[in-house]
Amino acid sequence: MGTAAAAAGTAGVVGWRGANASTAEATQPAGLGGEREPVTLTWWGNHAWEIRCGQRVVLTDPWLTRFKTGTYSAEGADPGTRVVSEPAVVDRYVSTADAVLVHHGHYDHIPDVPYVARKTGATVLGNESHLNLLRAMRAPGDQLSQVSGGEYLPFDGFTVEVFRSVHSCGGKRHQFAFPGTRPGVVPPRPRTIADLVEGGTLAYVITIGGLRILSLSTAGFDANELRDLQVDVVLAAPGGEPGVTDRLLQTIKPVKTVIATHWDDFDQPLDKPAVDWGGLTKLRTSVETAGSTFVTVDHLRSITL
């Protein structure tokens, strides 16, 4: 991705706690989703989030193996980089999950999903291409739920709404890395990062503990899908076309809190502080100009809302 790389920076961490700490909360009034309970979001880098309320856990794009790709180097990612998933790494962080939300099919989003699904027994949501790529990587088929946008899915203790979305793009020709889809027949097992095509992009709204969270895995979005959407929190990625975050925050209803996601150079260790690849300052400016509170959470840290 090099030229398609999209986001990061340094900013104050608000209301965070260590992964093993017992308390730390950012107090907010009752959310749009009804009676409020504490909801804790823990960041595992990139767009990998654990969203927890009591015993209920939702994971977004849980990629933790973080094999070296060169994505944010001057040369960009090597398309021939081998896809790797290391269960021992995943086991350090993932213990349980009720649902796994796949936003798109790139190599920094889905390689660990098959193992996470087997380990937790979670329902995995994704579109046809995403699920075919996961089947090719030996994900358990009976846990895969195909969605395309428009679904409202009640789970025990939370709901998930699915929206069609778009991947962010950039450059003179408005491109992103490894486009394409994998409908129909399950493809051969992906061996390199070029085999993990984008496959279409989805956005999700998770309503849990009375809190409504819009989860976007890239800076791109579909304005027709999200127009006048009302949520409490947005997980927003930097990068993309100029002004894209300004347009996002003008499209949805005014939002209280925006949490930066997908802003770290994921060739850097997960157990070290996140390194901004360069997009975080613009994201902060857009969010604060819109009157929302801007939050960053460091690797393996949490915010409780």
Side-chain angles (χ1 to χ4, degrees):
M1 285 156 100
T3 57
T10 56
V13 178
V14 180
W16 58 266
R17 64 175 174 83
N20 296 319
S22 59
T23 60
E25 296 187 1
T27 303
Q28 286 198 346
L32 300 169
E35 186 176 348
R36 289 283 287 110
E37 300 176 65
V39 177
T40 299
L41 293 86
T42 302
W43 190 43
W44 294 330
N46 210 52
H47 193 59
W49 290 89
E50 179 194 72
I51 302 171
R52 180 183 292 268
C53 180
Q55 299 302 308
R56 302 305 175 197
V57 176
V58 179
L59 304 182
T60 67
D61 295 351
W63 181 58
L64 296 120
T65 298
R66 292 169 73 95
F67 48 83
K68 188 174 180 62
T69 66
T71 296
Y72 297 105
S73 68
E75 297 78 19
D78 176 1
T81 301
R82 303 288 288 184
V83 174
V84 178
S85 177
E86 297 184 9
V89 174
V90 176
D91 286 345
R92 294 175 199 163
Y93 309 106
V94 177
S95 58
T96 185
D98 298 292
V100 174
L101 312 184
V102 173
H103 294 66
H104 66 275
H106 277 155
Y107 61 89
D108 54 330
H109 292 261
I110 72 167
D112 288 329
V113 171
Y115 177 71
V116 170
R118 290 193 296 271
K119 177 183 174 71
T120 66
T123 299
V124 179
L125 305 183
N127 70 18
E128 182 178 8
S129 289
H130 307 154
L131 299 191
N132 276 342
L133 290 169
L134 293 173
R135 291 183 182 102
M137 293 188 288
R138 310 297 187 264
D142 62 344
Q143 292 173 228
L144 305 181
S145 176
Q146 184 172 315
V147 293
S148 59
E151 293 86 356
Y152 177 90
L153 307 175
F155 289 83
D156 184 10
F158 62 93
T159 63
V160 176
E161 298 163 69
V162 189
F163 296 85
R164 289 181 291 275
S165 192
V166 295
H167 197 285
S168 57
C169 54
K172 180 180 178 180
R173 301 191 185 280
H174 312 289
Q175 296 172 328
F176 61 84
F178 311 132
T181 58
R182 294 293 182 269
V185 178
V186 175
R189 185 183 182 103
R191 301 294 181 183
T192 70
I193 63 173
D195 295 330
L196 288 175
V197 296
E198 177 256 356
T201 296
L202 298 171
Y204 297 89
V205 170
I206 307 108
T207 302
I208 185 168
L211 193 73
R212 286 177 56 77
I213 303 165
L214 170 61
S215 178
L216 299 169
S217 64
T218 80
F221 70 99
D222 185 329
N224 292 324
E225 289 285 297
L226 301 186
R227 193 168 308 283
D228 294 327
L229 180 71
Q230 193 165 10
V231 294
D232 300 293
V233 178
V234 178
L235 301 178
E241 302 287 359
V244 64
T245 304
D246 300 314
R247 291 189 291 104
L248 168 67
L249 296 176
Q250 292 162 6
T251 297
I252 64 175
K253 289 186 179 297
V255 64
K256 298 173 187 175
T257 304
V258 176
I259 303 176
T261 190
H262 208 326
W263 61 267
D264 61 324
D265 179 346
F266 47 71
D267 278 346
Q268 306 303 314
L270 184 58
D271 59 357
K272 303 293 183 183
V275 176
D276 174 11
W277 62 249
L280 210 54
T281 298
K282 287 184 178 180
L283 182 64
R284 174 192 282 276
T285 299
S286 293
V287 171
E288 292 181 345
T289 299
S292 301
T293 299
F294 182 65
V295 177
T296 59
V297 180
D298 212 337
H299 285 165
L300 310 182
R301 302 287 186 170
S302 303
I303 180 170
T304 298
L305 300 171

